[in-house]
C-alpha cells in the first residue's frame, strides 16, 4: 500500500508589515495551488504573515493583534488544504517567538518555535526573539512531518531532534538573504543535514527585495540521499510542486521540476533588477530618475532601471559642465535613445557661476582645490533632488562599492539619491555586468566600457589620478572589508606596496561618516557596507604596519 501527497513550495514575495495584503496573497496562493496542482500541503516562507525581516516592528504590541487576526482569517478562509505558515508571536509574559503554524481543517493543529536564532551579519534575531527547545512533528495521511525554521537547518540539533521524534520529512521555512554563492551554500548545508539524519528536506525560501536585502527564492527539495530532486526558480515567484510517495514504510521525494540556476554575471544582474523593482514598487514611487554622465556606472544603473521598471518609468538627466567631454554627452544621449527613456540635458555652468560669485568674497585669496569640484557635484545633486520633489520619482544614486569604500564621491553631491543599486558592486564587476548586459543586446555604447573612468570635475581627469587601478583596489577592499585582513597581511598575501595598501585602508576607515549618510543599496555580497559592516566613525584604532 502506498500514499502519495502533493506538497507545494509557495515561493512568494510578501511585503513587510502589510499583514492584510500578505494574508490575501496566502489565500490566493492556496486557491491556485489547489486548483493547479491538487495540493495537499502548501509550505510558505519564514514569517510569511509579516514579511521578513520586520525588524523593530516586532516591538509594536499592536502587531501581534493583527497577526492573531490574520491567523484567524486563514483558518476561516482555507479549510481544504494544509497551510504551513510563518509568523511572530508574543506570549502573556511579553516574550516574542519566531513561529511556524500547521493549519489543517481551519484549525491550528500544531505550532513550532524557532530554536536557532541567527545573530550575525544582517541578522539580529536575538534582539527580538526567545528560542524554542522542542521539536514539532505532525502526522498527515500517514506521513510524519517535522517543522524547522531557517537557521534551524544550519545546525544539526533541531533536525536530529525532529527525526528522533518520528519525522519522516523535514519542512524548512526560510527567509534566506541573497549573496552570490548563497544558494550553493544552502544546498551544501542541507545535503550535510540529510546525510546526518537520513531524512528528506523540503526547503522553501522567500523571494523579493526588502530595503537592502534580497531574497532569491530557489526553493528546493532533496531526497533522503541528499540529491536535489526538485529545484525552483531564482528571482521570481511561483508554485513549485513536490510529489511525496510513501511506500513500504519509506518516504521518497519523486524527481520533479528542475529550474535552471543563474551563474556569475547573470545572477548578480538579476539580483540588481529585482532589488530596484521591489524597492520602487513596494515604496509606491512613480518611477525613477538618475544623472546620466556618459560614464560606466550611470550607464549600468540606467540599464538595470529600465530592465526592472520599463523605459516609460525611467528618466535620465545629463548635466554637462565645461569639463564634460563631448563624447560623454554623445554617449549619454545615445544610450537614452537606445533604451527609449525620457532624457533631458541641463547645463550647470550658469548655476556654478552664480555659486562662485556668491562665494567670491569668502574664497578671496584661497587657491582652487577639491572644493570647486565638489560644488559641481552638489549642483547636480540639487537638480536631481529638485526634479524628484516635483515629479515624485525616486533618484537612483550611481556610486559603486569601490567608490563607496574609499569615499571617492561627494557628500550631498553625486551621493544623493533614495536608493543605490550598485552600492555593493565593485568597479571591476561594474564592467563585467555592463559587458554581460550588452551580450543580451547592446544598450551601453562600447566606448563607455572601453574609456578610462573619470569624474570629469577637472581637465583631463581620470579616477586613477586619485586611486590605484581598480583591479588592485578591489582586491584590497575585498581583503580588508570582507576578510578583515590587516595591511600587513594584505601585503604578505598579494605582494602590493605597503604604502599604497595603507593609503587605501586609511581611506576606507576615515570615510565611514560618508557611508552612514549614503542611500540604502542592494546587498549582493556576504559583507556589504551598512547592515553587515558596522564600524565606529570616531576611532583611533590603527593596525600595526610591520610586514
Amino acid at each position: 500500500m502506498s500514499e502519495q501527497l502533493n506538497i507545494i513550495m509557495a515561493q512568494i514575495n510578501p511585503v513587510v508589515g502589510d499583514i492584510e495584503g500578505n494574508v490575501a496573497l496566502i489565500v490566493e496562493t492556496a486557491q491556485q495551488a489547489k486548483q493547479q496542482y491538487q495540493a495537499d500541503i502548501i509550505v510558505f516562507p519564514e514569517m510569511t504573515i509579516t514579511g521578513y525581516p520586520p525588524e523593530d516592528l516586532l516591538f509594536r504590541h499592536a502587531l501581534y493583534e493583527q497577526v492573531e487576526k490574520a491567523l484567524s482569517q486563514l483558518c476561516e478562509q482555507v479549510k481544504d488544504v494544509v497551510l504551513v505558515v510563518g509568523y511572530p508571536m508574543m506570549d502573556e509574559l511579553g516574550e516574542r517567538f519566531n513561529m511556524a503554524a500547521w493549519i489543517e481543517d481551519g484549525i491550528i493543529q500544531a505550532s513550532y518555535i524557532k530554536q536557532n536564532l541567527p545573530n550575525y551579519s544582517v541578522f539580529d534575531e536575538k534582539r527580538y526573539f526567545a528560542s524554542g527547545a522542542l521539536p514539532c512533528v505532525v502526522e498527515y495521511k500517514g506521513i510524519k512531518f517535522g517543522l524547522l525554521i531557517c537557521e534551524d537547518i544550519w545546525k544539526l540539533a533541531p533536525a536530529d531532534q525532529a527525526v528522533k521524534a518520528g519525522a519522516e520529512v523535514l519542512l524548512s521555512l526560510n527567509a534566506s538573504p541573497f549573496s552570490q554563492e548563497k544558494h550553493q551554500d544552502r544546498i551544501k548545508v542541507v545535503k550535510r543535514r540529510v546525510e546526518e539524519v537520513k531524512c528528506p528536506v523540503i526547503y522553501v525560501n522567500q523571494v523579493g527585495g526588502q530595503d537592502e536585502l534580497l531574497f532569491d527564492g530557489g526553493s528546493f527539495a532533496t531526497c533522503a540521499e541528499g540529491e536535489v530532486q526538485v529545484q525552483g526558480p531564482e528571482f521570481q515567484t511561483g508554485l513549485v510542486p513536490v510529489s511525496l510517495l510513501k511506500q513500504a514504510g519509506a518516504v521518497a521525494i519523486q524527481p520533479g521540476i528542475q529550474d535552471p540556476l543563474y551563474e556569475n554575471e547573470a545572477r548578480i544582474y538579476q539580483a540588481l533588477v529585482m532589488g530596484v523593482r521591489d524597492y520602487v514598487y513596494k515604496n509606491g514611487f512613480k518611477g525613477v530618475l538618475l544623472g546620466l554622465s556618459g560614464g560606466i556606472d550611470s550607464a549600468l544603473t540606467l540599464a538595470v532601471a529600465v530592465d526592472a521598471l520599463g523605459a516609460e518609468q525611467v528618466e535620465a538627466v545629463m548635466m554637462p559642465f565645461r569639463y564634460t567631454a563631448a563624447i560623454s554627452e554623445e554617449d549619454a544621449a545615445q544610450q537614452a535613445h537606445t533604451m527609449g527613456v525620457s532624457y533631458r540635458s541641463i547645463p550647470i555652468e550658469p548655476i556654478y557661476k552664480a555659486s562662485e560669485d556668491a562665494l567670491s568674497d569668502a574664497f578671496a585669496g584661497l587657491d582652487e582645490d577639491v572644493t570647486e569640484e565638489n560644488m559641481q557635484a552638489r549642483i547636480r545633486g540639487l537638480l536631481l533632488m529638485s526634479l524628484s520633489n516635483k515629479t515624485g520619482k525616486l533618484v537612483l544614486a550611481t556610486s559603486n562599492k569601490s567608490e563607496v569604500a574609499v569615499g571617492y564621491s561627494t557628500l550631498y553631491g553625486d551621493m544623493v539619491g533614495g536608493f543605490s543599486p550598485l552600492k555593493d558592486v565593485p568597479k571591476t564587476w561594474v564592467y563585467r555586468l555592463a559587458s554581460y548586459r550588452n551580450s543580451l543586446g547592446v544598450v551601453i555604447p562600447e566606448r563607455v566600457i572601453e574609456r578610462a573612468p573619470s569624474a570629469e570635475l577637472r581637465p583631463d581627469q581620470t579616477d586613477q589620478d586619485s586611486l590605484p587601478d581598480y583591479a588592485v583596489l578591489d582586491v584590497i577592499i575585498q581583503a580588508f572589508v570582507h576578510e578583515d585582513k590587516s595591511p600587513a597581511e594584505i601585503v604578505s598575501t598579494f605582494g602590493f606596496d605597503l604604502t599604497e595598501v595603507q593609503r587605501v585602508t586609511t581611506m576606507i576607515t576615515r570615510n565611514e561618516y560618508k557611508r552612514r549618510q549614503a542611500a540604502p543599496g542592494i546587498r549582493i555580497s556576504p559583507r556589504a557596507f551598512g547592515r553587515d559592516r558596522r564600524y565606529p566613525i570616531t576611532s583611533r584604532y590603527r593596525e600595526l604596519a610591520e610586514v
Side-chain angles (χ1 to χ4, degrees):
M1 184 173 176
S2 63
E3 183 74 52
Q4 182 164 340
L5 294 180
N6 294 325
I7 316 293
I8 300 299
M9 299 190 289
Q11 191 167 285
I12 64 170
N13 186 352
V15 178
V16 164
D18 185 11
I19 295 174
E20 184 176 340
N22 293 339
V23 167
L25 178 59
I26 292 168
V27 171
E28 179 186 348
T29 301
Q31 292 170 344
Q32 182 184 350
K34 190 68 179 176
Q35 293 168 4
Q36 190 170 343
Y37 295 107
Q38 295 74 55
D40 295 294
I41 301 171
I42 308 169
V43 186
F44 290 86
E46 179 179 14
M47 300 285 279
T48 327
I49 289 175
T50 59
Y52 188 92
E55 300 185 283
D56 281 8
L57 291 178
L58 291 164
F59 293 138
R60 311 299 300 179
H61 287 219
L63 175 78
Y64 301 93
E65 297 172 9
Q66 295 183 36
V67 169
E68 285 297 319
K69 181 180 178 182
L71 287 167
S72 296
Q73 289 175 335
L74 289 177
C75 289
E76 291 169 7
Q77 296 180 39
V78 183
K79 297 184 178 181
D80 57 348
V81 63
V82 172
L83 303 180
V84 183
V85 298
Y87 64 100
M89 184 194 78
M90 179 186 288
D91 68 12
E92 63 277 4
L93 299 177
E95 282 203 294
R96 296 174 296 272
F97 304 94
N98 187 337
M99 307 285 295
W102 178 286
I103 302 175
E104 181 185 341
D105 296 328
I107 300 171
I108 298 178
Q109 303 281 5
S111 59
Y112 171 73
I113 301 174
K114 186 175 183 178
Q115 298 189 50
N116 287 313
L117 302 176
N119 215 58
Y120 56 87
S121 183
V122 299
F123 302 105
D124 291 305
E125 290 205 15
K126 290 183 180 180
R127 173 181 174 89
Y128 305 111
F129 298 121
S131 298
L134 300 174
C136 178
V137 177
V138 185
E139 184 170 351
Y140 182 74
K141 293 187 177 180
I143 298 176
K144 293 180 179 179
F145 295 90
L147 303 186
L148 300 175
I149 301 175
C150 208
E151 188 78 5
D152 289 334
I153 199 70
W154 291 72
K155 304 290 191 297
L156 172 60
D160 186 55
Q161 193 182 46
V163 171
K164 286 178 178 175
E168 298 170 283
V169 181
L170 297 176
L171 303 179
S172 179
L173 291 71
N174 299 271
S176 178
F178 170 81
S179 61
Q180 188 170 6
E181 304 300 328
K182 189 65 174 285
H183 185 74
Q184 293 306 320
D185 291 342
R186 296 178 197 127
I187 290 177
K188 289 176 185 176
V189 166
V190 170
K191 284 186 174 183
R192 191 180 311 135
R193 287 295 86 77
V194 169
E195 182 179 323
E196 292 164 340
V197 301
K198 312 300 182 189
C199 184
V201 173
I202 296 176
Y203 183 105
V204 182
N205 194 27
Q206 179 174 304
V207 69
Q210 171 58 31
D211 297 342
E212 302 101 319
L213 298 182
L214 299 176
F215 299 91
D216 50 314
S219 303
F220 62 95
T222 65
C223 64
E225 291 70 44
E227 295 303 312
V228 175
Q229 299 291 84
V230 179
Q231 175 63 66
E234 295 180 294
F235 306 111
Q236 57 182 288
T237 59
L239 302 181
V240 185
V242 178
S243 179
L244 205 61
L245 181 66
K246 184 168 185 176
Q247 199 167 29
V251 177
I253 290 178
Q254 304 300 296
I257 291 171
Q258 290 284 347
D259 276 285
L261 300 174
Y262 290 100
E263 295 182 349
N264 301 321
E265 291 86 352
R267 172 170 282 161
I268 298 299
Y269 194 84
Q270 289 299 320
L272 298 178
V273 167
M274 185 181 72
V276 169
R277 180 188 298 125
D278 273 12
Y279 193 85
V280 171
Y281 288 156
K282 289 182 178 182
N283 285 289
F285 288 102
K286 297 178 180 178
V288 299
L289 59 90
L290 67 143
L292 189 62
S293 67
I296 186 76
D297 298 314
S298 61
L300 178 61
T301 304
L302 179 62
V304 169
V306 172
D307 289 341
L309 307 171
E312 68 282 355
Q313 293 198 62
V314 180
E315 180 177 351
V317 186
M318 161 57 83
M319 293 166 284
F321 188 57
R322 67 187 72 157
Y323 304 130
T324 303
I327 59 172
S328 295
E329 296 190 66
E330 293 167 8
D331 290 342
Q334 180 185 331
Q335 183 181 2
H337 176 75
T338 300
M339 303 207 77
V341 302
S342 173
Y343 175 75
R344 73 179 75 235
S345 178
I346 307 175
I348 68 168
E349 190 84 38
I351 307 173
Y352 180 87
K353 183 65 170 62
S355 301
E356 193 176 44
D357 290 345
L359 292 165
S360 59
D361 289 344
F363 287 2
L366 301 176
D367 294 334
E368 282 196 12
D369 55 17
V370 72
T371 304
E372 283 72 21
E373 297 181 23
N374 288 340
M375 282 170 56
Q376 299 167 51
R378 289 183 177 127
I379 289 166
R380 292 181 172 118
L382 167 69
L383 294 175
L384 289 173
M385 291 309 299
S386 297
L387 288 167
S388 175
N389 290 157
K390 189 63 71 175
T391 64
K393 294 178 180 177
L394 173 72
V395 176
L396 296 181
T398 61
S399 292
N400 60 68
K401 186 170 189 173
S402 308
E403 295 172 349
V404 168
V406 298
Y408 190 65
S409 53
T410 301
L411 200 57
Y412 322 123
D414 56 324
M415 287 178 64
V416 302
F419 197 61
S420 184
L422 307 184
K423 185 175 182 178
D424 199 30
V425 181
K427 186 76 168 192
T428 47
W429 268 86
V430 170
Y431 283 101
R432 291 175 63 172
L433 291 169
S435 295
Y436 164 76
R437 180 58 184 86
N438 272 4
S439 73
L440 306 178
V442 177
V443 294
I444 300 173
E446 284 299 326
R447 66 181 178 185
V448 171
I449 299 174
E450 296 166 357
R451 289 172 61 196
S454 171
E456 294 191 327
L457 298 173
R458 62 176 183 265
D460 303 317
Q461 182 184 30
T462 68
D463 290 1
Q464 267 55 68
D465 296 339
S466 306
L467 303 173
D469 184 270
Y470 281 115
V472 173
L473 178 62
D474 286 351
V475 171
I476 297 173
I477 293 169
Q478 172 73 22
F480 186 71
V481 174
H482 288 239
E483 300 165 19
D484 294 310
K485 291 184 182 294
S486 69
E489 290 172 321
I490 295 170
V491 171
S492 176
T493 302
F494 300 103
F496 298 147
D497 176 71
L498 177 61
T499 302
E500 187 78 325
V501 171
Q502 288 181 314
R503 183 171 76 92
V504 171
T505 57
T506 297
M507 284 193 289
I508 293 172
T509 301
R510 76 180 181 210
N511 280 287
E512 181 63 29
Y513 78 100
K514 284 189 180 181
R515 289 190 291 272
R516 292 284 184 93
Q517 301 178 70
I522 299 169
R523 175 186 184 266
I524 63 167
S525 76
R527 199 76 180 275
F529 289 118
R531 294 176 64 101
D532 282 312
R533 187 178 186 272
R534 308 171 195 181
Y535 264 58
I537 296 173
T538 304
S539 170
R540 294 184 181 177
Y541 176 77
R542 297 291 181 269
E543 300 279 4
L544 297 176
E546 290 82 1
V547 178

